[in-house]
Amino acid sequence: MKFRIARHTTDLNRIMDFYGRILGLKVLGDFKDHHHYNGVFMGLPGESWHMEFTMSDKQPEHNPDDDDLLVFYAASLAEFAEIKKRFIINNVKHVKPQNPYWEKNGITFEDPDGYRIVISVIRGL
């Protein structure tokens, strides 16, 4: 099974910068004016998942709360430290997670749309 999470945004460029340059995902594809939508697919090449971000004339109605999380697992402590460093260098402030598990086992940030992401380290899922 493959997995895609799709989300509408108001600023495709900011989302691409956040998930691409800062988090480290790659653009896997994009589309323009597909039924009045522009979009981008982002993920890691060769993985069975990716994220799709779209933009159109219709404004999204987002209501994320502190427990709406995307969790990304770094493969090592070194990769975790490198990702965390990119967030700090780019002045993306970490936020206190609602669930104390994520405070002990990762670091939480907010993306440009107000959704939270957690960076953690794989520990034998």
Side-chain angles (χ1 to χ4, degrees), residues 13-118:
N13 289 328
R14 279 187 68 201
I15 285 290
M16 290 172 61
D17 184 59
F18 181 88
Y19 284 96
R21 186 178 58 81
I22 299 173
L23 182 59
L25 302 184
K26 307 295 181 207
V27 173
L28 304 174
D30 64 2
F31 55 92
K32 299 215 184 310
D33 199 27
H34 180 70
H35 299 282
H36 307 287
Y37 282 82
N38 295 329
V40 63
F41 304 106
M42 300 186 78
L44 297 173
E47 295 292 335
S48 61
W49 64 270
H50 65 268
M51 301 174 71
E52 174 186 19
F53 296 102
T54 61
M55 201 167 96
S56 72
D57 293 337
K58 182 174 168 79
Q59 295 296 307
E61 296 180 25
H62 293 225
N63 295 304
D65 70 29
D66 293 349
D67 280 323
D68 289 330
L69 305 172
L70 290 174
V71 180
F72 293 90
Y73 290 95
S76 67
L77 288 173
E79 183 182 37
F80 174 84
E82 181 58 37
I83 294 168
K84 181 179 173 181
K85 179 180 167 185
R86 286 195 305 265
F87 277 87
I88 292 168
I89 287 171
N90 286 282
N91 296 314
V92 180
K93 305 283 188 256
H94 73 277
V95 294
K96 183 175 176 68
Q98 181 75 23
N99 183 334
Y101 175 86
W102 294 118
E103 189 165 22
K104 183 178 179 186
N105 293 288
I107 189 164
T108 305
F109 299 95
E110 278 190 7
D111 77 9
D113 290 333
Y115 282 91
R116 291 184 171 204
I117 68 162
V118 175

